[in-house]
Amino acid sequence: MKRRIILAGGGHAHLAVLGDWAKRPLRNTERWLVTSSRHTAYSGMLPGWLAGNYRANDLLIDLKPLAERAGARLHLADVIGLNTARKMLTLSSGEELEFDLLSLATGGETDISSLATLGDRLLPVRPVGLFMERWSAFLERAALASTVNVAVVGGGAAGVELAMGVESAIRGLFRNARVALVTPGEGFLVGHAPQVLTRALEELAKRRIDVHFAQAAGTEEGFLLSNGLHLSVDCAIAATGSRAPRWLARSGLTCSAAGFIAVSGDMRSISHPSIFAAGDIVDRVDRNLERSGVHAVKAGPVLAANLRAAIDGTAPARYQPRNRTLYLLALGDKRAIVSWGRFVAIGNWAWRIKDWIDRSFVARYTQPAQAGR
C-alpha cells in the first residue's frame, strides 16, 4: 500500500522538501502539495521589488513544474481544518484529504484586527503575491495625485526593509511623498545587534522616513497612535508578524500558549508523530526561536530528511540553528546593513552579497538543472 504524504503550504521550508523528492523519489508513496496559489514569492526579495530592483518574475517560483519534478500532485486550496483523529485535512474547496504523513508549513496569519477600520487602504504583506497585486493597483490609482502618504506598521526586519523599499519606490513618482514606520519601541529590530538598530535609524532619518514608536489603531482616515498622534494615510502596509491560524485550536494538536504547533527539534509535533511542521506556524518546545524566513529556509533540508526518515524508519535529524546568524538588511538603494555577531557594516557590497544569495535561492527552484542537483 502506498503511503500518502501531504505538504500543506508552498512556503520556503517545503521548497526544500520538493527539491529533495526531485533528486531522490520516495518509493511507495503518493505525494501531494496543497497550497493556495500556483506561485510562491520569495519574501526576502519583496522590498527590492518595491524599490524597483527586481521584476516580479525575479522573486516568483512556479510550484507546478517543481511539484511535477518531485512527483507530487499540486492541489490549489487553503487548509481550513485538520482532524488529527481521522488524519484528515479540510480544504477551502470543500474537499477532505486523508494522509499518512502530513507536513504543515502554511505560515501564520497577519494580525490586522486593530487596523481593519482602514478597509481597502490596508495592505497585509501576506500573502505576498496578493500584496504585490494590490500595491501595483494602489500606485496606478494614485498616479495623478500630487501627495501620497504611506505607512508601514511593524518594526521587524521586514517592516524596516519595506519602509525603505516604499520610500525608494515613491520618491520619484510624487511631488510630495511621505513614508512612516510605526512600531512599538520594544519591537524594533528585535534580535539584532545594537549597532544595527543605530545604523537603521540613521538610514531612516536620512530618507526622511518618520519613525513612530507607538501602537497603532486604525481609523477611517488613518492611524490613531498610542502617543496621541494621528496619522493620515493613503496606504498602510501591515508587516505586524504572525498569529496562529484559527483552525489549529480545533485540530487536536498540542499547541503553545500562543496557539502555534508545539514541535521538537526534529520538526515533529510533540503530540502526533505523523505530523511535521515548520516556519511561522510552529513554536519549538526546547528553545525560543524567532519567526524568521531565515529559519524556515534553514529548517527545510532537515524537514525533508525527517519526512524521508519517517518513511524509511531511520533516525531523524535535528534542526540546530547556528549561534550566530548572518543578517542582511536591504536599504532599498542597492545598499545593505550586514551583521555577523558583533560585526556590523553597511555598503553596496553587502547588498551584492544579499542579491547573490537571494537570486541563487530562487534559481535553485526555478531552473530544472539546479533543482535536480
Side-chain angles (χ1 to χ4, degrees):
M1 292 288 292
K2 287 188 176 182
R3 300 175 70 181
R4 177 181 288 177
I5 306 177
I6 297 179
L7 305 182
H12 302 345
H14 280 167
L15 293 176
V17 177
L18 293 169
D20 177 68
W21 291 352
K23 288 185 289 187
R24 293 188 298 152
L26 275 177
R27 296 181 180 178
N28 297 319
T29 60
E30 178 188 327
R31 300 176 293 284
W32 287 62
L33 171 63
V34 176
T35 185
S36 57
S37 174
R38 172 172 166 168
H39 294 87
T40 189
Y42 180 54
S43 57
M45 297 171 75
L46 180 62
W49 173 79
L50 280 173
N53 298 327
Y54 300 116
R55 299 167 302 165
N57 286 342
D58 291 331
L59 59 153
L60 292 176
I61 297 170
D62 189 344
L63 295 172
K64 188 173 188 296
L66 183 58
E68 288 173 352
R69 292 195 295 271
R73 177 175 174 178
L74 176 64
H75 190 81
L76 299 181
D78 289 311
V79 175
I80 60 171
L82 167 63
N83 187 318
T84 51
R86 297 172 57 206
K87 289 191 173 181
M88 187 84 71
L89 276 181
T90 303
L91 307 181
S92 58
S93 59
E95 298 167 276
E96 291 186 321
L97 287 180
E98 289 185 89
F99 60 85
D100 296 294
L101 278 180
L102 171 66
S103 181
L104 293 166
T106 56
E109 298 175 350
T110 303
D111 187 359
I112 58 172
S113 54
S114 65
L115 309 174
T117 311
L118 283 161
D120 290 342
R121 284 177 292 165
L122 181 63
L123 274 62
V125 76
R126 296 179 181 178
V128 174
L130 180 59
F131 168 80
M132 293 170 70
E133 292 177 11
R134 294 189 64 195
W135 173 255
S136 297
F138 164 72
L139 289 182
E140 289 181 11
R141 289 196 307 270
L144 299 179
S146 59
T147 302
V148 66
N149 296 308
V150 180
V152 177
V153 184
V160 173
E161 287 188 316
L162 288 167
M164 300 281 195
V166 166
E167 194 277 335
S168 296
I170 67 177
R171 179 195 307 148
L173 295 179
F174 302 95
R175 184 180 305 169
N176 298 303
R178 297 193 65 179
V179 180
L181 176 67
V182 182
T183 174
E186 66 275 11
F188 184 68
L189 291 178
V190 174
H192 290 265
Q195 283 180 278
V196 174
L197 275 66
T198 300
R199 291 292 190 98
L201 286 171
E202 289 173 351
E203 289 296 322
L204 289 163
K206 284 181 187 176
R207 308 278 279 278
R208 298 182 182 178
I209 298 173
D210 298 324
V211 180
H212 300 277
F213 291 114
Q215 299 279 358
T219 69
E220 292 183 0
E221 293 79 26
F223 293 131
L224 178 62
L225 304 184
S226 56
N227 58 15
L229 293 177
H230 187 274
L231 292 182
S232 295
V233 298
D234 301 298
C235 176
I237 296 174
T240 50
S242 296
R243 69 180 179 190
R246 296 175 187 178
W247 53 264
L248 274 181
R250 305 183 299 272
S251 67
L253 287 170
T254 295
C255 294
S256 67
F260 297 96
I261 303 171
V263 299
S264 50
D266 59 2
M267 316 308 296
R268 179 174 256 165
S269 162
I270 65 171
S271 59
H272 292 77
S274 62
I275 297 176
F276 293 77
D280 284 354
I281 204 171
V282 307
D283 269 333
R284 287 275 292 267
V285 297
D286 56 331
R287 63 184 299 162
N288 290 324
L289 206 62
E290 64 187 282
R291 295 184 209 292
S292 165
V294 171
H295 292 304
V297 169
K298 297 294 185 184
V302 177
L303 180 62
N306 288 347
L307 287 170
R308 188 175 292 277
I311 293 293
D312 296 340
T314 56
R318 291 177 60 83
Y319 172 50
Q320 297 285 11
R322 296 174 180 173
N323 293 329
R324 291 186 296 177
T325 300
L326 176 68
Y327 289 107
L328 290 152
L329 198 70
L331 300 178
D333 57 358
K334 295 193 175 181
R335 292 182 307 133
I337 300 172
V338 59
S339 62
W340 172 257
R342 295 183 179 179
F343 171 77
V344 178
I346 187 170
N348 297 96
W349 61 272
W351 183 84
R352 288 195 294 271
I353 292 173
K354 176 174 170 54
D355 178 61
W356 178 80
I357 292 172
D358 291 346
R359 287 185 184 273
S360 297
F361 180 85
V362 173
R364 189 183 311 162
Y365 299 109
T366 54
Q367 298 178 12
Q370 294 194 34
R373 288 179 184 175

